[in-house]
Amino acid sequence: MTYDLYLGDKTYSSWSLRGWLMFEKFGLPVRTTAVGLYSGTMAADLAPLAPARLVPVLRTPEGDPLQDTLAIAETLAERHPDAGLWPADPSARILARWLAAEMHSGFTALRGACPMNLSRAYQGFAPSDAVRADLARIALLWATARSRFGAGGPWLFGDYSLADVFYAPVAARIASYDLPVEDEAAAYVAAHLADPAFRRWRAEGLTQHYDTEPYAMDLPSRPWPGPAPLLARAVQSGPAENAACPYSGQQVGHFMELDDRIFGFCNATCRDKTVNDPEAFPAFMAIYHS
């Protein structure tokens, strides 16, 4: 009973990030397919899923297509009531749905001025009054959830929930554009940046390159504010410590150096995503620590 999930670019598609986290964070079985969001093939790629026209798109195991992250979230929660997608407490669940829905339909100033860009962290961005108003509202919602239901943990309702899924790209925007938030909100942003699933998504997205970078701004860059990755680099040859790729199990032919050790992968993408953030990938770290 595996779902199919059609996604856009991992560096820039905030809605795709939400769709993927719904599966990754709750252990739901899924196959993913990349859609040509910036290559011009999206309409053709989604044609078999009509009337879908935007990513992400879900196809259920029964073959039903479903577009829109809020619809996907509620469908998954309905089909997997024991997965913990929404908080178990009824009052917490009411507020979690409220926060997700307000994100889904609101904060247009923030979303318009600060597109999600996981490849850059800028300095010197000047938020408008409208963006500052969105940030104040977001901080209020986060603080309300955490004070009532967070139980001192990093997430809005204690355990990770769909509410956190919906605000992951908001956290990424605050981080990328160095937006002004108070310490409590900054701690919540940091929790997302350190989340292994978020780190995997970002590391995989950074393997994709464009001749013209989407959403580039004429601003100075600063280091990515998330956890500093281990310093790895691609190298031309082995031999590698491992004979099989940690992800596919296939024979290695592409190589990476980390701490004066050489590791092998079945293709350049497997290697490059690991170079971007080795600790984001448990399958690799199992080899690294062996």
Side-chain angles (χ1 to χ4, degrees):
M1 295 292 287
T2 299
Y3 296 87
D4 289 291
L5 187 64
Y6 295 78
L7 301 167
D9 181 275
K10 292 184 176 181
T11 300
Y12 308 105
S13 179
S14 59
W15 295 105
S16 294
L17 171 57
R18 290 186 183 93
W20 180 79
L21 285 172
M22 293 178 198
F23 289 87
E24 183 73 7
K25 293 295 292 185
F26 300 100
L28 303 181
V30 67
R31 289 182 294 262
T32 60
T33 299
V35 169
L37 182 59
Y38 296 107
S39 65
T41 66
M42 186 164 75
D45 294 340
L46 295 181
L49 303 165
R53 63 185 183 92
L54 300 172
V55 288
V57 181
L58 175 69
R59 183 162 57 197
T60 69
E62 296 79 20
D64 296 312
L66 178 61
Q67 179 188 289
D68 190 279
T69 52
L70 195 55
I72 293 170
E74 290 291 11
T75 298
L76 293 177
E78 178 183 70
R79 293 169 65 103
H80 302 278
D82 297 326
L85 282 86
W86 290 120
D89 179 84
S91 294
R93 192 161 60 248
I94 287 171
L95 183 58
R97 281 194 166 105
W98 174 355
L99 266 61
E102 187 160 343
M103 174 61 244
H104 184 269
S105 61
F107 310 126
T108 55
L110 172 64
R111 289 154 65 179
C114 304
M116 191 180 84
N117 185 346
L118 300 182
S119 70
R120 299 282 182 183
Y122 292 112
Q123 56 184 350
F125 179 83
S128 66
D129 289 344
V131 169
R132 288 179 179 273
D134 277 354
L135 291 171
R137 175 63 179 174
I138 289 166
L140 173 63
L141 294 174
W142 290 356
T144 300
R146 295 182 74 186
S147 65
R148 292 182 59 191
F149 303 107
W155 305 117
L156 294 175
F157 295 89
D159 293 334
Y160 193 97
S161 76
L162 285 170
D164 300 298
V165 166
F166 274 80
Y167 282 94
V170 174
R173 287 175 162 96
I174 292 172
S176 291
Y177 297 91
D178 197 19
L179 298 176
V181 294
E182 298 295 332
D183 290 348
E184 184 179 8
Y188 180 64
V189 169
H192 280 286
L193 300 189
D195 178 42
F198 182 95
R199 291 174 67 175
R200 281 193 294 279
W201 175 271
R202 180 173 181 267
E204 290 171 359
L206 293 177
T207 65
Q208 179 72 47
H209 303 283
Y210 297 94
D211 293 334
T212 300
E213 180 185 328
Y215 308 127
M217 291 192 175
D218 187 18
L219 289 170
S221 294
R222 60 190 178 93
W224 179 253
L230 298 176
L231 295 179
R233 67 186 184 97
V235 294
Q236 292 299 313
S237 61
E241 296 183 13
N242 55 305
C245 176
Y247 311 118
S248 69
Q250 297 177 9
Q251 182 177 353
V252 304
H254 295 75
F255 304 95
M256 177 188 87
E257 182 181 6
L258 174 61
D259 293 340
D260 297 322
R261 299 165 61 186
I262 304 298
F263 301 94
F265 304 88
C266 66
N267 59 48
T269 299
C270 286
R271 177 199 64 201
D272 292 346
K273 72 180 185 182
T274 313
V275 167
N276 290 333
D277 192 349
E279 290 179 297
F281 298 95
F284 168 73
M285 292 306 291
I287 293 175
Y288 176 72
H289 288 304
S290 64

